[in-house]
Amino acid sequence: MKKILSVICTALSVICFAQGIQFEDLTYAQAIEKARKENKIIFIDAYTSWCGPCKLMEKNVFPDEKLGVYFNKNFINVHYDMEKGEGRDIARKFSVFSYPSLLFLNAQGELIQKFVGYRDAEELQGIGEMINLPGQQQSLSEKYKNGDRSPEVLQNLFKLSFQTDRGLAKKIAGEYFQQWKGSQLSQDEILMILLGTETSGDPTYKIFTSKKEDITKMLSEKEYESFDMNYQLNKILDENTDAAKHQIDEAKFLAAAVKITSKAEAEDFLNHYRMNYYLSEKMYPEYATAAIKVYGDGASANAKDLARAAYIFSENIKNKEMLNSAVIWAEKAMQQDESAANAYNLAKLYLLTGKNDAAKMYADQAVYLAEQNHMDPTPAKELLKKIK
């Protein structure tokens, strides 16, 4: 009897594994918890519904029997659409911009490695076996702290850190290009230079200028010149700032800045700096004054910047006149991007400025858009309760 059961179990196992990689229906938190309990690595297929290579991997790679046997045994396998639900949070957390992205996390939810682009079954099998070797489960941060300066570690850690720790990102970019031996910049390397350079005094600025031909294949000439101008103005700003007191000698800054740009552009740059500084210091009234100077009627700003500023106003500003400026920004953001977040933002600002009918209309729309996109509609529903 035991022998028969063993044969049945083995047969079922083969049938199961023959189906390829089995992606489990787990939330991100559940995947982390399961990885901890089973002491396994998490494999995330980060895809989008419109991504052609993602669909090819789903059709031709993930069903591979040998691959399934290995991955089902050694990993917690999950996949998320990066444009829906918590996939959006995962994309932000791990700086996922290209698809498919194949993420490997340790049981603490720290990124071990990220691979971008289509991989056939043999390649993915090799990646899985490499990741599963003893000592390979260290997070990128741990590898970096332990002295690993391989190009792959530096590139992936840069992508993780540039949004949360610009100082570390700048240092990593410098280390990467200090050892760079290439002749032509890849797209990822161009992004590393653009985002890892702050001033024209940084080591990466030399590559920015020497590899202009490569960079202008990705940027327009006008965009390149805009980056260059900002790097130069940042250097002048640094040279005329008392870091200990956070004070700028504005007269000296403007005197030097007008040698390379117009007075209007130099003043605009200074206003942006003030705005960002006040926000970092949580000096919200000062931030609001600077933001109004920067964004004005919102005509020349993008939806993302307007929505962010409007949200900060809705959370921290009580002055009704200032809030009216934020309403204009939120309206323009909604016109450019009809999302649940923008609808909620606009509804909240309408409520704060006493426009209850408009507040209700956009809160209802926020609920509808959230539900349509499989997002949490609770904040908008709670806002509706406050509208009389």
Side-chain angles (χ1 to χ4, degrees), residues 166 192-200 202 204-205 208 231:
R166 294 301 300 273
M192 206 169 182
I193 290 170
L194 296 177
L195 299 171
T197 305
E198 289 185 350
T199 81
S200 55
D202 294 340
T204 45
Y205 181 75
F208 173 80
Y231 297 149

Side-chain angles (χ1 to χ4, degrees), residues 177-197:
F177 286 104
Q178 188 175 18
Q179 59 175 292
W180 187 68
K181 304 296 182 183
S183 59
Q184 187 171 350
L185 295 171
S186 69
Q187 183 171 315
D188 279 348
E189 287 170 338
I190 291 172
L191 287 171
M192 206 169 182
I193 290 170
L194 296 177
L195 299 171
T197 305

Side-chain angles (χ1 to χ4, degrees), residues 356-373:
N356 287 15
D357 290 344
K360 184 179 185 307
M361 180 176 72
Y362 279 98
D364 281 331
Q365 189 172 1
V367 171
Y368 171 77
L369 289 170
E371 291 175 342
Q372 287 291 304
N373 290 283

Side-chain angles (χ1 to χ4, degrees), residues 21-183:
I21 296 178
Q22 300 299 297
F23 290 100
E24 302 185 55
D25 186 17
L26 302 172
T27 65
Y28 177 73
Q30 289 169 339
I32 295 292
E33 183 62 27
K34 188 170 185 180
R36 286 175 181 164
K37 287 180 179 178
E38 298 183 16
N39 192 29
K40 288 184 177 180
I41 296 168
I42 300 168
F43 167 57
I44 298 179
D45 166 37
Y47 70 95
T48 65
S49 60
W50 48 263
C51 165
C54 301
K55 293 177 181 177
L56 286 175
M57 288 199 72
E58 183 179 4
K59 179 182 178 181
N60 300 327
V61 178
F62 298 145
D64 184 85
E65 179 179 348
K66 182 182 175 183
L67 187 68
V69 170
Y70 190 82
F71 270 67
N72 295 337
K73 178 182 177 182
N74 293 287
F75 301 106
I76 306 298
N77 304 304
V78 288
H79 55 180
Y80 305 101
D81 187 330
M82 295 292 100
E83 295 183 337
K84 294 181 180 178
E86 66 177 344
R88 296 176 178 179
D89 295 328
I90 293 168
R92 282 192 292 269
K93 181 177 178 67
F94 297 111
S95 299
V96 177
F97 304 116
S98 302
Y99 310 100
S101 282
L102 310 173
L103 313 180
F104 292 87
L105 316 182
N106 63 21
Q108 288 70 50
E110 299 167 327
L111 186 67
I112 298 171
Q113 283 288 12
K114 174 167 68 173
F115 299 87
V116 177
Y118 181 91
R119 297 290 193 279
D120 63 27
E122 186 177 350
E123 286 179 291
L124 187 54
Q125 175 90 16
I127 288 171
E129 290 174 355
M130 181 270 291
I131 293 291
N132 212 33
L133 288 172
Q136 290 298 312
Q137 288 80 15
Q138 288 182 321
S139 69
L140 290 172
S141 297
E142 289 173 322
K143 290 176 181 178
Y144 181 77
K145 288 176 183 175
N146 291 333
D148 188 339
R149 296 298 187 269
S150 63
E152 192 170 51
V153 165
L154 291 175
Q155 275 196 332
N156 282 325
L157 187 56
F158 175 85
K159 291 174 185 177
L160 282 179
S161 61
F162 81 85
Q163 289 182 320
T164 56
D165 189 341
R166 294 301 300 273
L168 175 60
K170 180 178 174 180
K171 180 182 177 186
I172 291 168
E175 290 177 332
Y176 180 88
F177 286 104
Q178 188 175 18
Q179 59 175 292
W180 187 68
K181 304 296 182 183
S183 59

